[in-house]
Structures are given as C-alpha cells and as structure tokens.
Amino acid sequence: MKVSAEIEKDEYEIKVSHWRLLLETNRYYEIKPENGPVKRIYKEKLNTVVDETKSYTNGILTCSAFCIEEQVGEMHIKILQSLQSKVNTYMNELQLNQRAIEHLNSGPPAKSNLPEA
C-alpha cells in the first residue's frame, strides 16, 4: 500500500493506493500500481515516511510511505507527525527571518561592505 498526504493551505488530503507485489528478494520488493511503472522498494525503506516536497511554494507540503495494509493507520499518523514537524521548522525559520527584519528596521541603516562602482 502507498499512503500519501498533501496539505495545500488549509486543506488536507490523504490517499491510499494498492500496489501489487510482483517480486520479493532478500533486499527489496518490486511493486506495481494499477496504472504505472514497476517500482523497487528496498526493505529498509518500507514504513518510512518520505518528504516529497522539493521546495515550499503555494502552501503545499506532501509526504508518502509504503507499507502493508495492516499498517496504513500507523503510517497515516507518522505522515501527520512528519508534516507537523515540517510546518514547525518552517515557522521557526520564518520567525528568525522576521526578527532579523525587525532588527534591521529598528536600527540605523547598515553600512554596506560592497565596493563602490
């Protein structure tokens, strides 16, 4: 199973899709969705939340995980925790940026270290 979650501004969506097991080896599974190419999932990556957000734009964050059917609920909780952690990280970084801007606005203009043209 693949569990995917996306937050876009104030909307949260979760998707659970079935993947068919084609091959199992000592190291990996080869799986295939209903429509799409075969994917190789290494066993150590099973039940691991993957952050699919390449860069934070337009208020969208996405995560996913592959798991067995019995662990879908557990993976949903882990995905929610991962998304919450990501939001907290962004909020903390933005607060630091805000403080830097406020500090710059409250003091005299900074002297530039750039060479004059």
Side-chain angles (χ1 to χ4, degrees):
M1 306 291 285
K2 181 178 182 181
V3 182
S4 302
E6 177 178 286
I7 294 177
E8 184 173 359
K9 297 181 181 156
D10 66 341
E11 293 187 19
Y12 176 78
E13 181 180 0
I14 185 164
K15 294 179 186 174
V16 178
S17 57
H18 294 271
W19 287 60
R20 189 177 61 188
L21 178 63
L22 300 176
L23 175 70
E24 180 179 350
T25 71
N26 288 337
R27 294 192 63 221
Y28 61 85
Y29 301 101
E30 281 192 4
I31 56 177
K32 184 176 183 337
E34 290 179 17
N35 298 318
V38 172
K39 182 172 180 81
R40 183 176 287 178
I41 300 293
Y42 288 89
K43 289 186 175 184
E44 63 267 14
K45 297 294 182 180
L46 196 66
N47 303 320
T48 302
V49 176
V50 176
D51 180 14
E52 296 180 0
T53 306
K54 302 299 180 217
S55 63
Y56 183 66
T57 55
N58 298 324
I60 299 173
L61 295 173
T62 59
C63 289
S64 67
F66 285 96
C67 64
I68 61 173
E69 190 169 359
E70 291 78 20
Q71 293 177 318
V72 168
E74 181 182 330
M75 286 299 99
H76 184 203
I77 291 168
K78 286 183 178 183
I79 286 172
L80 282 172
Q81 291 169 341
S82 177
L83 289 169
Q84 183 64 58
S85 174
K86 190 69 132 172
V87 167
N88 288 341
T89 298
Y90 285 137
M91 293 294 287
N92 290 337
E93 290 171 358
L94 288 170
Q95 286 174 343
L96 288 173
N97 289 344
Q98 183 64 39
R99 281 188 221 135
I101 290 171
E102 289 169 358
H103 179 72
L104 288 172
N105 283 335
S106 66
K111 184 175 180 180
S112 174
N113 291 335
L114 298 175
E116 296 196 16

